[in-house]
Amino acid sequence: MNPEAVDVAIVGAGVAGAATAWWLRRMDPSVSVALIERDPQFSQASSQRSASSIRQQFSIPVNVALSQFGLSFLKQAPDLLTVDGQAPSLGLTLPGYLYLADDTQAPALAQQNAVQRGLGADIHLLNPEDLTSRFPWLNTQDLALGSHGLGVEGWFDGPALHMAFVRAARALGARWMAQTVEGLVLQDAGVEHRRIQALRLADGSILRCGQVVNAAGAWSRALAAMAGLSLPVHARRRTVFVLSCPVVLPDCPLVIDPTGFWFRPDALIPSGGQRFLLGTTPQLDADDLPLEPQLQEFSEDLWAQLAHRVPAFEAVRIERAWAGYYEMNIFDHNALIGPHAQCPNLLSITGFSGHGMQQAAGAGRGLAEWILHGQYRSLDLSALSPDRVVRNQPLFEANVIG
Ligand SMILES: Cc1cc2nc3c(=O)[nH]c(=O)nc-3n(C[C@H](O)[C@H](O)[C@H](O)COP(=O)(O)OP(=O)(O)OC[C@H]3O[C@@H](n4cnc5c(N)ncnc54)[C@H](O)[C@@H]3O)c2cc1C
């Protein structure tokens, strides 16, 4: 490969960029790919700070389909992503998501269930009696309905999946560049349809490229701005709390409370009890807040709601917490995948708004197909095109968590 030129330059080696690189090299080894990452330790990357859960309970068909593919990919990933005989261990666990609804929320939950089941998602509606008999530790007093995806939803080791994609993409010949992209060299800058000719890197070098993939996560708006484009992706901090509970909750799924918080099991505690992860939407949701976990977000109110839903949580203790950025698409909370009409050789794979870990495998496959063939060949991702922002036609997803 000419070291100063590459067919596809991928900016950002989080799970989205690494998955795209892996698919590109797997589909066509003749295509040269550079994976460019300014922070090789991934100290701020969302892919190392994810709660890494996967569900099919979305309201939009393309999101359901992406996660269905994500699940089948996760099942095969230990084989597909083996490098030098080392298969990644991804800890896929599938006790389901459990969405809980009160009287006012129940009709919408039932309606979404019909969409999901129509797409082949095996999600079951449970009335309060069913909920009590399945999950005796749950307070169902004020609930009207639940929906549960046993065996098709759950969680996995997302940071391990991310690193497995990075290693496997490099093993397939993607060129690793520990560099910051500082600028774009544009042909016809300022005109309606511009083209990127090259990337300007922090060490002063120039990398010529045929296509550029914006996989810069929470920082992808800044990269798009280098091409004169505005992208509605903002870095929004989310805190995940690690709780210990002296009591084990048998068969506990990832639970979404009607008030908005979520929790899921993490691990059993050897001395007894169980560890849980918990998250909620913060009241202060400004851009680019420092990546420090916000213990005060675990408010008295949240504590009370938690103990109301699971009386055993009366005794939980906060063990620790971490924070990461959602790469939040404030336009419509859905991924932005594909080329930009005003700059067709800049392609985005960003804006996942809290569901990018589970969608990365399918999104990367789709973008690789688009780059190689100019069309989607497996799953049609055109509904997620960034053009919808320019056309002001949002694609609303009802089930955004946090
Ligand atoms: C707390 C939390 C919980 C989550 N829970 C879930 C979940 O349960 N399920 C789920 O599916 N998803 C979840 N997500 C979302 C998921 O983790 C993200 O959508 C996904 O990791 C985004 O991956 P990415 O590759 O787009 O971004 P990142 O992993 O952030 O990678 C982007 C990379 O780009 C690099 N970069 C940026 N600018 C430049 C530049 N100019 N030059 C070179 N490199 C650059 C950065 O250094 C970074 O490493 C969660 C996220 C958070 C923060």
Side-chain angles (χ1 to χ4, degrees), residues 12 14-16 37-38 46-47 50-53 181 327 354-358:
V15 71
E37 173 56 54
R38 67 179 176 197
S46 308
S47 302
S50 182
S52 309
S53 307
V181 175
E327 68 287 6
H355 41 271
M357 183 56 79
Q358 63 197 283

Side-chain angles (χ1 to χ4, degrees), residues 11-18 36-39 42-54 97 156 162 179-182 215-220 223 226 236 238-240 254 262 264 322-327 349-360:
V11 186
V15 71
I36 307 169
E37 173 56 54
R38 67 179 176 197
D39 173 18
F42 298 109
S43 58
Q44 298 215 315
S46 308
S47 302
Q48 290 296 316
R49 292 165 178 258
S50 182
S52 309
S53 307
I54 179 164
Y97 269 57
F156 56 99
H162 168 214
Q179 284 272 3
T180 302
V181 175
E182 285 197 338
W219 304 273
S220 52
L223 190 78
M226 295 178 198
R236 294 287 170 87
R238 291 293 178 271
T239 296
V240 178
L254 189 153
W262 60 267
R264 72 156 171 90
W322 79 82
Y325 289 130
Y326 272 16
E327 68 287 6
I349 179 164
T350 184
F352 291 97
S353 310
H355 41 271
M357 183 56 79
Q358 63 197 283
Q359 293 193 337

Side-chain angles (χ1 to χ4, degrees), residues 308-393:
H308 169 74
R309 185 59 59 218
V310 180
F313 280 165
E314 194 82 54
V316 289
R317 277 195 15 236
I318 302 176
E319 282 202 351
R320 62 186 183 88
W322 79 82
Y325 289 130
Y326 272 16
E327 68 287 6
M328 190 74 95
N329 168 0
I330 61 164
F331 179 65
D332 64 8
H333 299 115
N334 271 309
L336 295 155
I337 302 173
H340 290 262
Q342 310 101 304
C343 185
N345 73 335
L346 177 64
L347 302 102
S348 279
I349 179 164
T350 184
F352 291 97
S353 310
H355 41 271
M357 183 56 79
Q358 63 197 283
Q359 293 193 337
R365 179 183 66 167
L367 194 61
E369 289 169 353
W370 183 276
I371 290 169
L372 297 175
H373 310 297
Q375 61 181 39
Y376 294 115
R377 295 220 161 153
S378 45
L379 188 58
D380 183 4
L381 302 183
S382 42
L384 298 172
S385 162
D387 286 355
R388 70 185 191 277
V389 181
V390 181
R391 292 195 313 267
N392 196 21
Q393 289 175 336

Side-chain angles (χ1 to χ4, degrees), residues 55 57-59 99 109 112 116 355 397-401:
R55 62 186 158 119
Q57 297 191 57
F58 287 96
S59 64
Y99 271 82
L109 194 68
Q112 285 163 21
Q116 292 151 7
H355 41 271
E397 168 57 60
N399 291 343
V400 172
I401 299 177

Side-chain angles (χ1 to χ4, degrees), residues 60-73:
I60 299 177
V62 70
N63 282 336
V64 178
L66 268 172
S67 288
Q68 285 173 325
F69 175 71
L71 177 63
S72 71
F73 185 87

Side-chain angles (χ1 to χ4, degrees), residues 126 151 157 203 346 392:
L126 303 175
D157 187 338
D203 67 356
L346 177 64
N392 196 21

